[in-house]
Amino acid sequence: MKRKLGILISGRGSNMQALVEAARLADSPYTVALVASDKPEAAGLAWASDHGIATFARSPKGLAKAEYEAAIDAALRDAGVEAIALAGYMRLLSDAFVARWRGRIVNIHPSLLPLYKGLDTHKRAIEGGDSHGGCSVHIVTEELDGGEVLGQARVPILPGDTPEALAERVLAEEHALYPRIVADWLRR
Ligand code: GRF
């Protein structure tokens, strides 16, 4: 029986697309049951729906955080979602939401955690003189970008690199890493 994955996005959702493509493989341990967003205009929502995936959008504007999250939670549960992948979801989940889904939410973060939690990761890696940037897939806990790291990909930083150029090379690695690690995680 394949596991049902829900994916939360806020934007273009290129990592979501990589997860959806990988779910089509016969030996994938998961299917994508829902793509949900806090941004009704997120480009990834239209892509998902064009590809036959159920979508849900609710703007948090004018809602208490608990009310907004209850709507997302209900949509995920109605779709039978068992595990959640965050893919460029730009909103902090409340402790209560994380507790309800304890151990069942993963995220991809564009740095070699525990280095550079939060924003501007590529700029910080370049300015820090690091030899490599990269990306990490981790379990989501109450601590921002803080849960167990399940897998990483390292990307060399080149002389004269810019945050944009590094981000593009890291993103290509994210698309390979995320589906592989999510599949391993859901098989374990
Ligand atoms: C990626 O850099 C990812 O690491 C970060 O947000 C970005 C999302 O890009 N969490 P996309 O929406 O998946 O294209």
Side-chain angles (χ1 to χ4, degrees), residues 76-157:
L76 291 164
R77 288 176 193 277
D78 287 351
V81 165
E82 302 168 78
I84 300 173
L86 307 183
Y89 181 69
M90 297 305 288
R91 203 159 281 284
L92 282 178
L93 295 170
S94 70
D95 289 358
F97 188 95
V98 170
R100 270 204 301 285
W101 291 89
R102 165 108 31 233
R104 293 189 294 145
I105 313 176
V106 286
N107 180 43
I108 186 152
H109 181 73
S111 79
L112 295 172
L113 290 173
L115 293 175
Y116 312 126
K117 298 175 179 179
L119 299 174
D120 295 327
T121 54
H122 304 302
K123 182 168 182 278
R124 288 153 71 201
I126 291 170
E127 286 176 359
D130 297 2
S131 65
H132 288 75
C135 50
S136 307
V137 177
H138 66 93
I139 299 279
V140 172
T141 64
E142 286 82 354
E143 190 200 337
L144 176 70
D145 302 323
E148 180 196 354
V149 172
L150 301 176
Q152 293 184 315
R154 288 162 61 81
V155 175
I157 294 179

Side-chain angles (χ1 to χ4, degrees), residues 11-16 87-88 90 107-110 171 174-175:
R12 65 194 163 178
S14 69
N15 279 291
M16 174 274 294
M90 297 305 288
N107 180 43
I108 186 152
H109 181 73
L171 192 62
E174 293 180 29
H175 298 160

